[in-house]
Amino acid sequence: MDSVVITITSGKGGVGKTTTTANIGTALALMGKKVVIADADIGLRNLDIVLGLENRIVYDSVDFVEGRCKLRQALIRDKRAGELYLLPAAQTRDKTAINPQQMIAMINELRDEFHYILIDSPAGIEQGFQVAVAPADRVLVVTNPEVSSVRDADRVIGLSEALEKGPAMLIINRINSARVRKKDMLSVEDITEILGSQVIGVVPEDEEILSSTNRGQPVVLNSKGSAAQAYRDIARRIVGENVPLTMPSNGSFWQKLFGRA
Amino acid sequence: MASFREFFFGKKSAEDAKSRLQFVLIHDRAEISPGLFEEIRNDIIMAISNRLNIDPSYISINMDEEAGERRLLVDVPLKNARRPTATRSTADTRR
Ligand SMILES: Nc1ncnc2c1ncn2[C@@H]1O[C@H](COP(=O)(O)OP(=O)(O)O)[C@@H](O)[C@H]1O
Ligand SMILES: [Mg+2]
């Protein structure tokens, strides 16, 4: 199968990597693709709880690497989204439990069967990041419109280029269009100019993210809100559809009344 | 026209964010910290002023990046070394 391995990373923590991975993976599966989302944040796993699959974990990627299970046994099917599978990280181990070669071998085993394999990277630029990026065909860098995350994004873009992963693409998360309009927040244009990278998606700051995470239901499953729409658009761009980049709105009064049935 | 807010509080914060990021990323990418850069700057001033009559306060040394190419731009206005007391105004190239 012509599979694509995409690592979602950022440098800085808390910018929305896990939320982004969960939603793009779910959106791709809802489009009929066979998808694995792999948690590479060993010791601080969160994809399971964001997806609402935390109660179903038996084995994890470290169990596979250390020979305690088959890779199939570690995959958890998310039946809400067709052919979507979670490959959980170990929670009681650390970033040294899997090295880059083992990661590449593990992900390669999935390539025959899946269209997309998304890897949720830990924060930082040390071993955990190196392992998460090692098997990637493409790298997506999540940033917030805020100085420290943009600076860290630049670092990570440089590092993935040095690892010959091609030009990384940007996801600008948590943008607030009203504040951008007031020139009180970096705009998409500012960030593209500063980083010199192409943007694959712009996700607004959206209250729905918190409530959907509380419930373990990625917004793309059932919301018409602007963040959900932004994640679906990114998924469509990933499969090669030509979806123009639009500036998402942050839910005006009228949108809140009518737009989110 | 400057808005009420701009008049009292200066530039919009996004503009500050942008220019500060552009500055710091030039240093990050070149792997030259602003501190090391200051040292290089002092070395250059020393090297030149040992041999030429210059006014260190008019030297400008900047890092610049355009189309992925980084360069160090050094601008050293020269005082007229031979005739330091010349009265001709052209002797003074300072601006
Ligand atoms: N677009 C968004 N709007 C509102 N909150 C968001 C958005 N994206 C992420 N968040 C919140 O930000 C926090 C960090 O997100 P997370 O995906 O865990 O980041 P990371 O994996 O990079 O550490 C979470 O509380 C999440 O709900
Ligand atoms: Mg995370």
Side-chain angles (χ1 to χ4, degrees):
Chain A
M1 193 175 285
D2 234 5
S3 72
V4 184
V5 178
I6 303 171
T7 296
I8 291 100
T9 188
S10 67
K12 189 171 158 65
V15 299
K17 292 177 294 297
T18 300
T19 310
T20 301
T21 312
N23 277 286
I24 297 177
T26 305
L28 285 168
L30 289 170
M31 289 165 70
K33 304 294 178 189
K34 293 185 76 175
V35 181
V36 171
I37 42 188
D39 196 338
D41 204 344
I42 300 172
L44 292 168
R45 78 171 174 219
N46 275 322
L47 258 181
D48 56 341
I49 196 161
V50 168
L51 286 162
L53 302 173
E54 69 277 13
N55 292 328
R56 294 183 41 204
I57 297 179
V58 182
Y59 295 110
D60 56 54
S61 52
V62 176
D63 288 324
F64 166 72
V65 166
E66 296 181 349
R68 284 184 293 275
C69 69
K70 296 208 176 78
L71 194 47
R72 262 280 157 194
Q73 293 175 290
L75 294 179
I76 296 159
R77 169 116 187 251
D78 184 345
K79 296 187 193 70
R80 297 168 300 183
E83 294 286 313
L84 177 65
Y85 296 82
L86 168 68
L87 176 56
Q91 181 68 337
T92 54
R93 301 291 294 276
D94 65 35
K95 304 287 187 269
T96 59
I98 298 182
N99 67 36
Q101 287 69 38
Q102 291 167 325
M103 184 72 173
I104 292 171
M106 179 173 73
I107 298 298
N108 276 347
E109 223 180 294
L110 296 168
R111 282 185 190 260
D112 296 335
E113 248 187 284
F114 295 93
H115 297 108
Y116 291 96
I117 299 149
L118 269 50
I119 300 171
D120 181 20
S121 161
I125 53 173
E126 297 81 21
Q127 163 132 359
F129 159 80
Q130 305 281 344
V131 169
V133 170
D137 300 317
R138 298 171 65 178
V139 174
L140 301 184
V141 174
V142 182
T143 186
N144 297 153
E146 170 272 329
V147 289
S148 30
S149 88
V150 173
R151 183 184 192 179
D152 292 359
D154 190 73
R155 252 330 241 139
V156 163
I157 290 166
L159 289 170
S160 53
E161 238 164 62
L163 292 165
E164 293 179 349
K165 296 298 173 186
M169 291 182 89
L170 282 176
I171 293 174
I172 301 173
N173 187 31
R174 307 194 77 156
I175 203 140
N176 180 319
S177 52
R179 299 196 74 176
V180 170
R181 235 178 289 117
K182 281 189 240 154
K183 290 204 186 297
D184 203 22
M185 179 180 271
L186 288 166
S187 68
V188 174
E189 294 73 25
D190 289 337
I191 296 171
T192 355
E193 191 189 326
I194 292 164
L195 295 177
S197 296
Q198 214 185 322
V199 176
I200 194 169
V202 180
V203 182
E205 170 79 31
D206 191 337
E207 288 172 12
E208 262 189 350
I209 297 290
L210 179 61
S211 42
S212 75
T213 309
N214 287 343
R215 298 193 178 99
Q217 290 174 351
V219 282
V220 296
L221 277 178
N222 46 32
S223 164
K224 293 195 180 79
S226 51
Q229 201 46 53
Y231 287 126
R232 285 185 201 106
D233 286 350
I234 295 172
R236 291 171 60 199
R237 291 186 194 107
I238 286 173
V239 304
E241 283 182 41
N242 185 9
V243 185
L245 209 63
T246 52
M247 180 61 200
S249 77
N250 277 86
S252 67
F253 173 73
W254 292 108
Q255 255 191 319
K256 280 189 175 143
L257 261 187
F258 300 115
R260 296 189 181 174
Chain B
M1 201 183 73
S3 68
F4 181 79
R5 190 186 160 281
E6 254 181 274
F7 183 78
F8 286 101
F9 300 101
K11 268 193 305 187
K12 293 293 173 65
S13 75
E15 292 165 25
D16 280 335
K18 189 177 176 185
S19 57
R20 291 174 58 230
L21 271 166
Q22 282 169 330
F23 172 82
V24 81
L25 287 182
I26 288 174
H27 288 279
D28 285 359
R29 288 170 186 166
E31 292 174 26
I32 300 175
S33 69
L36 175 60
F37 181 76
E38 273 313 302
E39 283 175 24
I40 293 172
R41 187 190 148 85
N42 292 334
D43 290 349
I44 291 174
I45 291 172
M46 279 274 280
I48 297 174
S49 58
N50 278 345
R51 298 183 181 276
L52 291 172
N53 186 11
I54 57 167
D55 183 343
S57 58
Y58 286 90
I59 295 182
S60 80
I61 300 172
N62 289 301
M63 262 206 291
D64 187 51
E65 192 182 63
E66 218 174 289
E69 224 185 315
R70 283 184 285 270
R71 57 187 76 213
L72 201 61
L73 300 172
V74 185
D75 185 20
V76 187
L78 294 177
K79 279 191 194 171
N80 193 323
R82 298 232 171 71
R83 285 169 292 168
T85 54
T87 48
R88 284 163 63 194
S89 60
T90 48
D92 190 355
T93 60
R94 294 181 303 179
R95 239 158 285 165

